[in-house]
Amino acid sequence: MNTDKQQVHDFWNEASCGEDLYLPGLDREAYEAQARKRYELEPYILEFAGFDRARGMQVLEIGVGLGADHQRFSQAGADLTGIDLTERAVEHTARRLAAFGLSSKLAVGDAERLEFSDESFDCVYSWGVLHHSPNTPKAVSEVWRILRRGGRASVMIYHKWSLVGFMLWIRYALLGLRPWLSLSDLYARYLESPGTKAYSIAEARRLFSHFSEVSICTVLTHGDLLESMAGQRHQGALLSLARNIWPRALIKRHLSRTGPVHAN
Ligand SMILES: C[S@@+](CC[C@H](N)C(=O)[O-])C[C@H]1O[C@@H](n2cnc3c(N)ncnc32)[C@H](O)[C@@H]1O
């Protein structure tokens, strides 16, 4: 593993996504509580992932994290495979599925070098993962390679022009007296794992340009609306203050087209 990817691995192997904030234990109840919170904060995942359409399909999830979506695919009757760069996420997901009497072919694996033959899945699903991998275009071309012609990839990546980006700029560029820092620098240094990227719609379209059909939409997230803990890296008095004064109603009315890019 090269240094950049090792850093991504080490970041997510310290705590899987949402583990510190929303996973109260390691048993069935704890995983259930985390999933409840996940779909309360991000209800749009349910439609985007299309769990109900997965019965009998060969599905690969890339970047399983704590495994809530993986559980849904398994419960829906998918012929399921899941990978994650980290041992921790694979352990969580295996433990979660076992607690519910479910199964999947789970392994540690790298989105940039998928160990599957060409055209071997009907559906590839990846929520909030590929923008963390150092060579995102390579990961996207791997998704295309292993997808059957006529198959579907549902991929969520971060949107560059988001309120989260604006908040990072206020906190680290403006208040950090480094207003020259670009949004790309800010996402890479301060959002989550080192090197995280975010895309404009045009950039996302270019990234997926070898797919025969691409539809992209953006949503306002709980992060943009400060409706949740902002993430495992972000805490403090300034954030608490912002959470109290954040004009959510105004944002929802006028800025409903910022947030992560979903391409499928
Ligand atoms: C923000 S978390 C998202 C996890 C899960 N999909 C979710 O929505 O909670 C990012 C995940 O991507 C994984 N990841 C990052 N780079 C990866 C790569 N190259 N291959 C596979 N997984 C990767 C990380 O280990 C981490 O579990």
Side-chain angles (χ1 to χ4, degrees), residues 5 8-13 15-18 34 38 42 45 61-69 83-90 107-114 125-135 139 156 158 192-193:
K5 197 167 292 162
V8 174
H9 168 277
D10 294 351
F11 180 91
W12 293 113
N13 209 38
S16 291
C17 187
Q34 181 266 333
R38 176 178 180 81
E42 302 184 279
I45 291 178
E61 179 174 1
I62 301 176
V64 290
L66 291 177
D69 296 349
I83 65 152
D84 198 285
L85 192 61
T86 65
E87 299 76 13
R88 191 179 190 100
V90 170
V108 171
D110 180 357
E112 293 178 26
R113 290 188 314 153
L114 293 173
Y125 173 75
S126 190
W127 183 266
V129 175
L130 303 188
H131 47 227
H132 295 303
S133 209
N135 190 344
M156 184 280 269
Y158 291 153
E192 290 174 320
S193 51

